[in-house]
């Protein structure tokens, strides 16, 4: 179990343009309780550097591109998001880092819970000790 997966959304493309619907609990594996965007990230800025205890999220890059590093004990994946028909699902106890944001990057995040600072694990050593218990590795 990695708790990270790429989702492919259905694309309705025709001579009038492109429409991509995303339905809660159908196209993503949870009920959406919160939506936020990340934009205007300056050059060389890295974001994230935390994991969540409960939160499930899907990241969709609506414009531009960004790289997402996801880490669990003994596993690491780098995903480049540059296509609004792709979502990156990140579940509980996955450490994430976001970097190489293009100037025009518009990152949409769909989240399963309201904002709760107590859900964040921001210390990496503590993260590893908790994640080892969670994943049983
Ligand atoms: C995550 C990655 C992908 C709020 O007030 N409400 C919110 O819903 C969020 C997400 C953040 N905030 C506040 C908390 C901080 O004062 O916005 C500020 C910046 O948040 P943060 O430094 O956590 O941003 P990132 O880009 O490092 O992380 C965010 C999410 O917080 C996190 O859940 O997984 O995007």
């Amino acid at each position: 179990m990695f708790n990270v997966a790429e989702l492919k959304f259905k694309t309705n493309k025709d001579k009038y343009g492109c429409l991509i619907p995303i339905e809660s609990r159908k196209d993503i594996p949870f009920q959406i309780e919160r939506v936020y965007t990340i934009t205007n990230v300056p050059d060389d800025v890295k974001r994230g550097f935390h994991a969540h205890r409960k939160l499930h999220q899907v990241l969709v890059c609506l414009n531009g591109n960004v790289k997402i590093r996801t880490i669990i004990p003994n596993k690491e994946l780098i995903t480049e998001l540059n296509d609004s028909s792709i979502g990156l699902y990140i579940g509980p106890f996955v450490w994430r880092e976001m970097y190489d944001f293009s100037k025009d990057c518009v990152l949409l995040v769909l989240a399963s819970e309201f904002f709760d600072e107590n859900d964040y694990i921001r210390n990496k050593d503590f993260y590893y000790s908790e994640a080892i218990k969670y994943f049983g590795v």
Side-chain angles (χ1 to χ4, degrees), residues 60 78 100 105 122 137:
V60 185
I78 293 175
D100 283 358
C105 181
R122 296 190 183 273
V137 290

Side-chain angles (χ1 to χ4, degrees), residues 55-73:
L55 190 68
H56 301 258
Q57 299 194 107
V58 171
L59 282 58
V60 185
C61 185
L62 298 180
N63 195 55
N65 53 80
V66 59
K67 292 195 183 85
I68 318 288
R69 177 181 290 117
T70 42
I71 299 172
I72 64 167

Side-chain angles (χ1 to χ4, degrees), residues 2-3 34 36 38 48-59 70-72 89-98 109-123 126-127 130-131 134-135:
F2 187 20
N3 271 3
R34 177 168 51 109
Y36 59 94
I38 298 175
F49 294 87
H50 59 256
H52 285 279
R53 299 169 194 278
K54 254 180 85 180
L55 190 68
H56 301 258
Q57 299 194 107
V58 171
L59 282 58
T70 42
I71 299 172
I72 64 167
Y89 166 77
I90 305 179
F93 287 96
V94 177
W95 188 264
R96 82 284 319 264
E97 301 170 2
M98 301 172 282
V109 184
L110 311 173
S112 66
E113 310 285 336
F114 295 139
F115 178 68
D116 176 9
E117 182 58 41
N118 293 323
D119 191 59
Y120 286 70
I121 302 174
R122 296 190 183 273
N123 178 291
F126 181 68
Y127 162 71
E130 293 296 292
Y134 179 82
F135 289 106

